[in-house]
Amino acid sequence: MATSPESGFAGLCDRVIALENYNTTGFSPKGAMCEPYVGLVNVQGISCRWEFPFRDAEANRTFNDLWTEVTRCKDGTQKQHGSSVNHPDSYVQKEFITSDRLYRVAQKDKGQINRTLVFLSLELRN
């Protein structure tokens, strides 16, 4: 019997499920602020953000937990990046591709506002 990547992890996929259903329900993952966006070439998506004190250890844990949740709950592959991002503070991003979606988990240290931001976003692929 084939099982979906989400089988057995229902409670452990809550943030990904909330992200995927945001446009329908309006409910953000716990502690996040979400909003839909339209990107280049009219690509549509949703981005959720958590805020932490600058370089707080909890931000690192959240980033790692979100990445683990995406890779555990979805069937796809990690997108490899060939170049680094030029950013005045630190910036880390991982991407995961499924048949029809692109998931991103990112962490940005923003010294100017003394905050670290962690993002979970979903882009619908054409």
Side-chain angles (χ1 to χ4, degrees), residues 2 11 30 38 87:
K30 185 177 179 182
V38 177
H87 195 276

Side-chain angles (χ1 to χ4, degrees), residues 10-21:
L12 302 176
C13 299
D14 291 346
R15 294 174 292 192
V16 169
I17 292 168
L19 172 73
E20 292 171 336
N21 293 319

Side-chain angles (χ1 to χ4, degrees), residues 19-35:
L19 172 73
E20 292 171 336
N21 293 319
Y22 180 78
N23 282 340
T24 304
T25 66
F27 294 114
S28 299
K30 185 177 179 182
M33 295 181 297
C34 300
E35 60 186 358

Side-chain angles (χ1 to χ4, degrees), residues 47-71:
S47 183
C48 298
R49 178 182 82 230
W50 289 261
E51 292 190 21
F52 300 91
F54 188 64
R55 296 193 173 152
D56 187 74
E58 187 62 29
N60 291 331
R61 279 191 292 279
T62 299
F63 173 82
N64 291 325
D65 289 349
L66 286 169
W67 180 246
T68 298
E69 184 174 332
V70 168
T71 59

Side-chain angles (χ1 to χ4, degrees), residues 28-126:
S28 299
K30 185 177 179 182
M33 295 181 297
C34 300
E35 60 186 358
Y37 67 87
V38 177
L40 299 175
V41 294
N42 289 323
V43 173
Q44 295 185 15
I46 300 131
S47 183
C48 298
R49 178 182 82 230
W50 289 261
E51 292 190 21
F52 300 91
F54 188 64
R55 296 193 173 152
D56 187 74
E58 187 62 29
N60 291 331
R61 279 191 292 279
T62 299
F63 173 82
N64 291 325
D65 289 349
L66 286 169
W67 180 246
T68 298
E69 184 174 332
V70 168
T71 59
R72 177 186 56 230
C73 297
K74 305 312 297 180
D75 186 21
T77 58
Q78 182 175 351
K79 183 176 178 182
Q80 301 298 320
H81 292 279
S83 60
S84 61
V85 176
N86 183 9
H87 195 276
D89 294 331
S90 68
Y91 177 79
V92 178
Q93 177 175 281
K94 294 183 177 186
E95 296 181 325
F96 194 77
I97 301 169
T98 68
S99 61
D100 61 346
R101 297 174 178 185
L102 173 64
Y103 295 83
R104 290 186 182 98
V105 179
Q107 181 174 333
K108 299 178 182 182
D109 289 327
K110 307 289 269 179
Q112 193 170 32
I113 61 170
N114 203 32
R115 305 296 288 166
T116 294
L117 309 176
V118 177
F119 296 87
L120 172 63
S121 57
L122 164 67
E123 188 173 286
L124 303 174
R125 300 174 71 206
N126 298 338

